[in-house]
Amino acid sequence: MTVPGRRSSTFSRLLRHGFTDPSGAEHLLDVPELSALRDDSVLLDALGATADPDLALRGLVRLVEAQPETERGTFTSTLLSAKPFRDRLLGVLGASEALADHLARHPRDWESLVQYEAADLHPGVAEFEQGLAEATDPVSLRVAYRRCLLAIAARDVCGTADLAQTAAELADLATATLRAALAIARTAEPADAALCRLAVIAMGKCGGHELNYVSDVDVIFVGEPAEGADEGKAIQAATRLASHLMRICSETTVEGTIWPVDANLRPEGRNGPLVRTLSSHLAYYQRWAKTWEFQALLKARPVAGDPELGAQYVDAVSPLVWQAAERENFVPDVQKMRRRVVDNIPVAQVERELKLGPGGLRDVEFAVQLLQLVHGRSDATLHSGTTLDALAALAAGGYVGRADASQLDEAYRFLRAMEHRIQLYRLRRTHLVPEDEADLRRLGRSLGLRTDPVAELNKEWKRHAAVVRRLHEKLFYRPLLDAVAQLAPGEIRLSPKAAGQRLEALGYADPAAALRHLEALASGVSRKAAIQRTLLPVLLGWFADSADPDAGLLGFRKVSDALGKTPWYLRLLRDEGAAAENLARVLSAGRLAPDLLLRAPEAVAILGDPEGLRPRGRDHLEQEVLAAVGRADDAEQAVAAARGVRRRELFRTAAADLIGSYGTEDNPREPDPGALVDRVGEAVTDLNAATIAGALRAAVRAEWGDELPTRFTVIGMGRFGGNELGYGSDADVLFVHEPREGVDEQEAARAANRVVAEMRRLLQVPTADPPLLIDADLRPEGKSGPLVRSLKSYEAYYRRWSLVWESQALLRAEPMAGDRDLGERFIELVDPLRYPAEGLGEDAVREIRRLKARMESERLPRGADPTLHAKLGRGGLSDVEWTVQLLQMRHGWAERGLRTTRTREALGAAHAAGLIPTEEAQTLDEAWVLATRVRNAVMLVRGRPGDTFPSDPRELAAVARYLGYEPGHVGEMVDDYRRVTRRARAVVEELFYGA
């Protein structure tokens, strides 16, 4: 009798044995059918050893209740007396609710777990065929299949079979099941069976002899006519048999389903014929197949139907598989496949995705298969469809480091074991780690984690996933370093030929040069070389992810040669997580940023500072430049310091732009291209303005000391005034002066002209830093007019002679350097010109349209494609800017929002004022941003300005990567550009030309 308020001794024992619902378990143990078992301590111990004691007990009660009364005694006595049987049965019941359901429906199937002969320990196809032999229809096949599955699960949960053996047994059971299903289909359609020879080729995990508990079974069907049969009729018959086989396995019956048979890996996928002849298969693979299809064929294995035809198929396609790495598009195909897997996972599931997420099973399988394709050309020992066998062969051949292979093997086994136990619970196809606490507890206990199953499981899972993530890239590159560094005695190394093949397969155009760089960086026993050997495997992967891996590696070698003796450089890359990846992105994305960096390699420190990529404001830059100028001994030294600041800031801006455009592992790419354009335009404008301010101060100080005899200001025009400069833009300016009190006008003019001449000279003196070109051609009278005018002279000119194009040019006027008060008075002077009262007259509108039409016909370079010229082409920068500027001149007098030098800001104001509909405003904005980014991309990639897409394929691919296109999508980029600008031109025709 239990004292009220106190727990029974049974309740306490149940808690100690791992039951989470002791009260419910007590109730279940009290059912009459368990009267013979309830007090048996052996039973409680056995239940407590299962993954989920509560689940095991519920399943046991259902099984006992399902036994005929005449046989219940036999069952309970066997359960109590035979420990191996007890462990197997309760182990299954505690791990799989679905198999408990099967036992409740088929209560005598427990007998299949009682006796184990030696052959039962690791059965093969023959034993499973025997287990399915009596199945004559889909329902009986399902029952027999589950009975065999019961035995596999028992060996698995009790540890009699390890992960690899269990996966192989599941594949063998699938083979036997496909054979049985084909036999049922042949019996149902004897006429079709007589007409054809049909072979079933297993693919995927079934073909690789490493199947899951619940998985699609991937197959390919090969058919040939029987002797004397017509080929067309034979293939139709084979197709009916194949379809029937698929239905037998896939359809849901009263006994559920077995698994879907998936034939989508066949040539042309679901759009192709279900059954082809061998010659048809070969014709497709030789002409049309993509890299992923050869990767899939790695696992092809004949399993059912005509064995001779199946063997002929594998013999015929095998040479094609091992030649795949020599195909033209192998590298970009491989890069695309690697990305597509992760990109297609829903964001909410990526952290729980065991198979496809970062550090998941697919990472291991993909890496192993890629290395097989690269090196299997010359080494037949790698020709295995089984992941763990292939990994062992890669390690034995020196293609993967032994320690890396061992860690990867352990991680893969753990992750696959997790996947198996998750699927076994309800026999459902899933690769998601559950979120429910009870599910996680069962999963952890099933893997032997008993102290704190949930915490231990999460810790082990994350540890193994981290190992896979770390080794996934390292696997490709570590042996390359071992091959050139030759440090570990006794290790089998990659031959130079094999190392070259691997680099070529990963996208390096000049493997021999790449190996020389690796040797220079990683050889020797110095601390520097040791750190390089740690960094390079990861860096090489990042370089390979770019459009020009060779340039990335070469740039890294040059930076390392320049900074190799500085103590902080390698430490920065090793210890600051983002620095190494940022450097890899910058070095491999084009010429401009590496050129800027190599002129002053210490700027690499910017990449490791969390705030390092943030642009410095104009005030900050001007203060730094003027301080540097003040410390210099002469004008040339002063402007050299100012240009040094400009070069550093250009690098900062370019690096931030590239990293924002590419994205990194921790920070995805910037989703708003307009934000990237605005940041670049603002930053380059600010640093050029600060540089001009420094040159002005240096020129004045060299001849006049602290004060020039005339006030002097620099007005930005064009993109400079619009704060929209690109990397390769000149600085369009006007120079304005005003004599100081008591100074003769001619003396003031001479001083102003000498200052301008000296500024331009200083900014273009040949040095290691990029020159800043100043263009004053937008001044009154153009190149024929004086370079500098006084404010009064500008006023007189604009009052008497100003043309409409000059008023239009003044829309972008903004003070940039020099006397601020004078700059503001100049703006007050020109405001009535650029925003005329009551807007533009019709004559002026016609003149602007005439000028634009003339420019289109005369200024586009000869031979240039007008649909792809970013500045002057259809729907390009000029089209959008002239349209916006016409709106500003017509309506700026009334709409203050239009009074801005910035194109996008003015476009937004025009839309807000109802002058342009939403869709048209978005179309113009999209085209302007895209054209600006194309120009920025060309400068970043080629290191010199350009208004059209590069013709060199590698440079074109780099532009595409910068614009957010994956490898192999250059054509899509060009098509998108034409589409966007074509739509913009239609808006221009309507709004600008009034069409």
Side-chain angles (χ1 to χ4, degrees), residues 15-16 18 48 437 441 444-457:
L15 269 179
R16 284 198 305 275
E437 185 87 4
R441 181 175 184 274
R445 284 174 58 92
S446 77
L447 295 169
L449 308 172
R450 297 297 171 98
T451 308
D452 185 352
V454 176
E456 289 177 74
L457 173 68

Side-chain angles (χ1 to χ4, degrees), residues 934-991:
V934 167
R935 295 180 92 207
N936 284 347
V938 170
M939 185 66 187
L940 285 166
V941 169
R942 303 181 72 192
R944 59 182 188 272
D947 293 316
T948 58
F949 290 96
S951 55
D952 178 80
R954 189 159 274 216
E955 290 178 346
L956 191 60
V959 169
R961 291 301 304 278
Y962 171 80
L963 293 177
Y965 292 87
E966 298 295 354
H969 289 267
V970 165
E972 186 182 326
M973 169 186 70
V974 174
D975 289 346
D976 285 349
Y977 182 85
R978 285 194 168 113
R979 175 181 52 79
V980 169
T981 53
R982 184 176 62 245
R983 289 170 53 216
R985 178 64 185 197
V987 176
V988 171
E989 293 283 355
E990 180 186 342
L991 293 179

Side-chain angles (χ1 to χ4, degrees), residues 547-569:
D548 195 349
D550 301 79
L553 180 55
L554 173 61
F556 181 67
R557 181 180 174 183
K558 286 179 177 177
V559 173
S560 295
D561 286 348
L563 294 176
K565 292 181 180 175
T566 56
W568 56 267
Y569 166 62

Side-chain angles (χ1 to χ4, degrees), residues 301-374:
R301 181 171 65 94
V303 290
D306 190 305
E308 185 184 345
L309 179 57
Q312 287 173 347
Y313 174 86
V314 171
D315 290 344
V317 300
S318 186
L320 300 177
V321 171
W322 304 113
Q323 293 161 13
E326 296 163 12
R327 289 164 57 86
E328 186 180 348
N329 291 319
F330 180 73
V331 174
D333 283 353
V334 165
Q335 290 175 329
K336 269 192 289 188
M337 289 187 292
R338 282 168 53 202
R339 283 187 201 86
R340 190 186 304 136
V341 171
V342 177
D343 290 349
N344 289 340
I345 304 171
V347 175
Q349 296 180 355
V350 72
E351 292 301 320
R352 295 167 47 228
E353 176 58 68
L354 199 57
K355 178 179 178 181
L356 303 178
L361 293 164
R362 182 60 61 85
D363 274 357
V364 182
E365 292 158 1
F366 187 92
V368 168
Q369 289 164 24
L370 179 57
L371 291 175
Q372 284 181 276
L373 288 174
V374 172

